[in-house]
Amino acid sequence: MLTHQLKLRKPLAVFDLETTGINMIKDRIVEISIAKANIDGTVTVKTRRVNPGMPIPLESSLIHGIYDEDVANEPNFKQIAKSMAQFLEGCDLAGFNSNRFDVPMLVEEFLRNEVDFDVKNRRLIDAQRIFHLMEPRNLGAAYKFYCQKELIDAHSAEADTIATLEVLNAQVQHYEGVKIKNSQGEEIEPVKNDMDALHEITASKLVDFAQRMTYNKDGIEVINFGKHAGKPVLQVLKEEPSYYDWMMKGDFPMDTKRKLTEIKLRAFNNK
């Protein structure tokens, strides 16, 4: 039996969502799992798949492994919303990156289905935030971890530059030959002392530096934000010609506008 050692005044519901995407307004939950840590030290786990009422994008399915056919016969969120709210009644909420994604997404689903789910009187605990506070992911922390040195004069351009070179050099020595996994959990090429390989690991998905566009698994440029997130850039420009003008006149970096223009011109020249 799963147990815990947390000191609780009320049950703590640790939960995670799998969804059709990351847009709070457009996307929907396809699976919710809750591990309710009870005051007596026991844990009650409840997992439920949900029919989102919309196709699950392939990019999302490749991440969480849930496809349309897996949820075709599952209830929609409206059908389980009240029982789910009852299960969470009186609980504080916790998760990993939950305050930025899981909690707001869950609240949005409840409100969309007219279930009053208020978080005002609930404590919200995000394990990722604690992780980042206790194990900083800055240059000073990397310098100490990889080089066993304290970074003196941090934020001085020269000190930071030299420290970054030392960190990169140490990383290559430390990880060379070690295979890593991408965001889909697939093994990719191991770390090599080769700049092409390091570029592939750190920047191969970049289209523009603001990451308003990115490459999908087929190497096609797709929109990375807003209502067209996940759609090929050329498809959007073809179906909605005004989108190009909107971006060119909008508050986007010049680099993003330049890359968008390059994609548009490339398509024009290939006609």
Side-chain angles (χ1 to χ4, degrees), residues 76-89 103-119 122:
N76 58 41
F77 194 84
K78 186 176 184 66
Q79 291 172 293
I80 66 168
K82 288 184 179 178
S83 64
M84 197 64 66
Q86 289 171 358
F87 186 68
L88 294 170
E89 183 68 31
V103 171
M105 177 68 85
L106 183 63
V107 169
E108 195 71 20
E109 282 277 36
F110 276 127
L111 292 176
R112 192 180 292 121
N113 290 284
E114 301 178 344
V115 173
D116 185 18
F117 186 77
D118 201 342
V119 298
R122 301 175 190 263

Side-chain angles (χ1 to χ4, degrees), residues 226-242:
K227 65 179 182 178
H228 293 305
K231 290 183 181 179
V233 174
L234 289 177
Q235 177 186 331
V236 173
L237 295 180
K238 181 178 179 181
E239 295 176 353
E240 190 179 326
S242 61

Side-chain angles (χ1 to χ4, degrees), residues 221-261:
E221 297 104 334
V222 297
I223 302 295
N224 199 33
F225 72 103
K227 65 179 182 178
H228 293 305
K231 290 183 181 179
V233 174
L234 289 177
Q235 177 186 331
V236 173
L237 295 180
K238 181 178 179 181
E239 295 176 353
E240 190 179 326
S242 61
Y243 190 81
Y244 175 80
D245 291 333
W246 174 75
M247 282 196 68
M248 296 303 290
K249 293 174 182 176
D251 189 20
F252 296 99
M254 292 180 69
D255 173 67
T256 299
K257 296 177 180 180
R258 179 182 63 177
K259 294 294 172 55
L260 181 66
T261 300

Side-chain angles (χ1 to χ4, degrees), residues 20-40:
T20 58
I22 59 173
N23 187 306
M24 304 289 176
I25 298 171
K26 181 188 72 172
D27 286 305
R28 300 291 185 267
I29 294 171
V30 297
E31 185 174 64
I32 178 170
S33 185
I34 305 168
K36 185 194 286 190
N38 301 301
I39 295 173
D40 63 3

Side-chain angles (χ1 to χ4, degrees), residues 20 27 52-58 68:
T20 58
D27 286 305
M54 62 182 288
I56 304 173
L58 179 59
D68 291 334

Side-chain angles (χ1 to χ4, degrees), residues 153-192:
D153 296 328
H155 303 302
S156 141
E158 183 173 310
D160 286 359
T161 298
I162 294 171
T164 300
L165 175 58
E166 289 188 57
V167 165
L168 179 59
N169 186 65
Q171 284 178 323
V172 170
Q173 294 180 56
H174 187 76
Y175 296 119
E176 189 165 13
V178 178
K179 287 188 176 181
I180 59 177
K181 293 184 177 180
N182 60 20
S183 58
Q184 284 78 45
E186 303 163 333
E187 279 195 348
I188 58 178
E189 288 296 312
V191 175
K192 297 178 183 176

Side-chain angles (χ1 to χ4, degrees), residues 137-167:
R137 290 299 187 260
N138 55 28
L139 178 58
Y143 196 53
K144 187 172 184 178
F145 181 82
Y146 290 107
C147 305
Q148 294 78 52
K149 299 178 184 178
E150 294 291 338
L151 179 53
I152 309 300
D153 296 328
H155 303 302
S156 141
E158 183 173 310
D160 286 359
T161 298
I162 294 171
T164 300
L165 175 58
E166 289 188 57
V167 165

